[in-house]
Amino acid sequence: MTDAQIIELIKREVVPAVGCTEPAAVALCTAYAAEALGCRPDAVSVRLSGNMLKNAMGVGIPGTGMTGLPIAVALGAIAGKSGNGLELLKDSTPEAVAEARAFIADGRVEIGLTEDSDEILYIEVVCSAGEARARAVIAREHTRLVLLEGPCAEAYHLSESGTGGESASITGANLAGEGEELTLKRVYDFAVSVPLEDIEFIDEARRLNEAAAQEALKGNYGHELGKTLSRPLGKGIFGDTVFSHIISATSSACDARMAGAMIPVMSNSGSGNQGIAATLPVVVFAKENHNTREELLRALVLSHLTAIYIKQSLGRLSALCGCVVASTGSSCGLTYLMGGGYGQVAASVKNMIANLAGMVCDGAKPSCALKLSSGVSTAVLSAMLAVQNHSVSSTEGLIEDDVDCCIHNMTRLGSVGMRETDKMVLDIMTHKKV
């Protein structure tokens, strides 16, 4: 892949989002269907893939004080504007929320699993009003509109690939045009050598996610893991150290986001939590280690691009927790900031895979902050070992001498080996006695 193609890939995969991206994507699909209908719907029917349902059941919806999909769907139908992408709920007013609550109370929202698609990321929404009907489908990516039918659907253009123009495929092969994907060496070489002016845009990830962590401390969100770590209790156990600051900042931003705070974050590969985990450990360490601005920006690119590379073979949604992916990226960025070269960066990846491979995703929810803290803790430990040239060896578990083989071993485990695990997790989540 050329530098220009990699830059295009990063810009398309590292984008702002308000709230959890799964319910936001469902709200976006609902907005498309409502707009194609041309009037306010009387009823909305939603069909989702299992992974979408799993990741949207337990998260707070920004500006509503409510949890889960029904309120996201209702707001998408009543007040959603598809032109705002995954930030479409940011302008929801109290009046709109009240209307949406009434819409739900009247039994106008119906949600279930799809039986018509094998896509892991699949959203189908049908909006109806009287005899009029409109249908929208988003698939493979959170903003990839692949079908739109309805009285006003002609106002929207779908390309031949079925992409609504807001998001490109995550695979580098599609951008390269010749089936060439990234390697960790290519990721590293790009991050450390690309002209600085070409990657200045990545500073927006620092700005947004750092602001989210700071804003989160002003409220009591989720399980308050970030605040707990910054209080005397947390400092008494973890100390007032760069390590505790990394965990506190990362979990604070996740606390607020999963609880439904109206705080934008910079996402990675369709996940806000992945964007947080790929950004904040690098930002906090660089600040306290007195790294230069250039070193910080290159470390952020290394972190985010590594996460994107891993997602190429894992897929956007899987049974493997996304914090493993993003924290592996941040470990690479931390290793670089500690003075490590490519060999040490590769070692940090191996150390991460040896520790966290197999962490199960059981949906997006407030307790994701705990998983992110586990991921970034391991990221720091993996980087510390790597810069001292300590790496898990090829005789151990999933690890091979070739670091790219290690990555594909982990993603194969997550995308293929854990399929039955994914089904079991969804079955447990949907049959709990609450």
Side-chain angles (χ1 to χ4, degrees):
M1 295 180 67
T2 66
D3 283 2
Q5 289 168 329
I6 293 176
I7 289 169
E8 182 183 0
L9 179 63
I10 297 173
K11 287 183 176 180
R12 286 175 170 172
E13 297 300 338
V14 182
V15 297
V18 175
C20 180
T21 46
E22 275 71 54
V26 177
L28 175 62
C29 194
T30 306
Y32 273 124
E35 290 166 1
L37 185 66
C39 62
R40 176 169 167 167
D42 292 332
V44 181
S45 176
V46 179
R47 289 292 177 268
L48 305 171
S49 59
N51 287 78
M52 285 298 299
L53 184 63
K54 178 182 76 172
N55 276 2
M57 290 172 60
V59 291
I61 306 303
T64 68
M66 298 177 68
T67 296
L69 277 170
I71 188 64
V73 171
L75 278 174
I78 292 170
K81 297 179 181 178
S82 64
N84 289 332
L86 295 179
E87 295 184 284
L88 80 163
L89 298 180
K90 67 180 180 181
D91 297 324
S92 298
T93 63
E95 292 76 18
V97 172
E99 287 186 54
R101 286 174 178 266
F103 196 81
I104 297 167
D106 290 340
R108 299 180 185 275
V109 175
E110 190 256 338
I111 300 168
L113 284 170
T114 183
E115 297 180 356
D116 300 326
S117 175
D118 294 326
E119 295 285 356
I120 292 175
L121 194 164
Y122 183 85
I123 310 163
E124 180 178 349
V125 177
V126 174
C127 288
S128 57
E131 297 298 318
R133 183 175 178 273
R135 182 165 72 115
V137 175
I138 285 177
R140 298 185 185 177
E141 302 166 35
H142 292 77
T143 58
R144 187 174 184 266
L145 182 68
V146 298
L147 183 146
L148 190 62
E149 300 171 336
C152 300
E154 68 277 1
Y156 297 83
H157 172 70
L158 300 181
S159 69
E160 291 182 3
S161 64
T163 303
E166 297 179 30
S167 176
S169 170
I170 194 169
T171 59
N174 287 352
L175 288 175
E178 298 178 354
E180 179 188 359
E181 293 189 353
L182 291 169
T183 64
L184 187 66
K185 184 65 165 62
R186 181 69 180 105
V187 168
Y188 175 83
D189 288 344
F190 172 84
V192 302
S193 65
V194 65
L196 188 62
E197 59 268 22
D198 291 346
I199 56 172
E200 287 279 353
F201 67 88
I202 202 67
D203 189 57
E204 184 67 2
R206 175 204 60 79
R207 188 190 70 79
L208 274 183
N209 292 346
E210 194 172 35
Q214 293 168 354
E215 187 66 25
L217 294 177
K218 299 177 183 178
N220 296 320
Y221 297 108
H223 299 298
E224 300 182 43
L225 177 59
K227 291 187 77 170
T228 298
L229 291 169
S230 62
R231 287 170 173 158
L233 174 63
K235 290 181 178 179
I237 296 173
F238 286 92
D240 193 7
T241 65
V242 63
F243 182 64
S244 65
H245 298 167
I246 285 173
I247 302 174
S248 177
T250 304
S251 54
S252 289
C254 183
D255 281 333
R257 180 175 176 270
M258 290 289 93
M262 192 66 78
I263 299 174
V265 302
M266 191 65 82
S267 67
N268 182 296
S269 306
S271 167
N273 282 350
Q274 286 173 192
I276 290 168
T279 302
L280 287 173
V282 175
V283 170
V284 173
F285 183 85
K287 181 181 292 185
E288 301 202 22
N289 196 48
H290 304 294
N291 288 102
T292 66
R293 183 173 184 274
E294 177 175 350
E295 289 169 338
L296 169 59
L297 296 183
R298 294 193 183 280
L300 284 172
V301 167
L302 178 57
S303 178
H304 278 276
L305 188 55
T306 298
I308 292 169
Y309 165 45
I310 296 173
K311 292 292 266 185
Q312 285 183 336
S313 55
L314 180 63
R316 290 187 180 271
L317 300 176
S318 72
L320 182 68
C321 178
C323 85
V324 174
V325 175
S327 298
T328 300
S330 66
S331 188
C332 293
L334 291 169
T335 302
Y336 170 77
L337 292 175
M338 292 177 186
Y342 173 71
Q344 287 75 34
V345 166
S348 73
V349 172
K350 293 179 181 181
N351 293 341
M352 289 293 294
I353 293 172
N355 194 339
L356 289 182
M359 181 183 285
V360 173
C361 170
D362 56 342
K365 59 211 175 302
S367 60
C368 284
L370 290 165
K371 293 192 175 185
L372 258 66
S373 67
S374 297
V376 299
S377 298
T378 304
V380 175
L381 297 175
S382 296
M384 289 172 59
L385 287 175
V387 295
Q388 297 178 79
N389 297 311
H390 289 295
S391 172
V392 176
S393 70
S394 59
T395 62
E396 303 173 62
L398 303 177
I399 306 306
E400 300 188 36
D401 289 329
D402 186 326
V403 67
D404 295 294
C405 288
C406 298
I407 289 172
H408 290 291
N409 288 345
M410 178 180 72
T411 58
R412 188 158 63 96
L413 174 68
S415 61
V416 180
M418 297 173 69
R419 283 176 183 169
E420 291 303 314
T421 300
D422 216 13
K423 294 176 183 178
M424 179 62 72
V425 168
L426 181 62
D427 182 70
I428 291 171
M429 291 176 64
T430 55
H431 291 88
K432 290 189 294 185
K433 295 180 181 179
V434 179

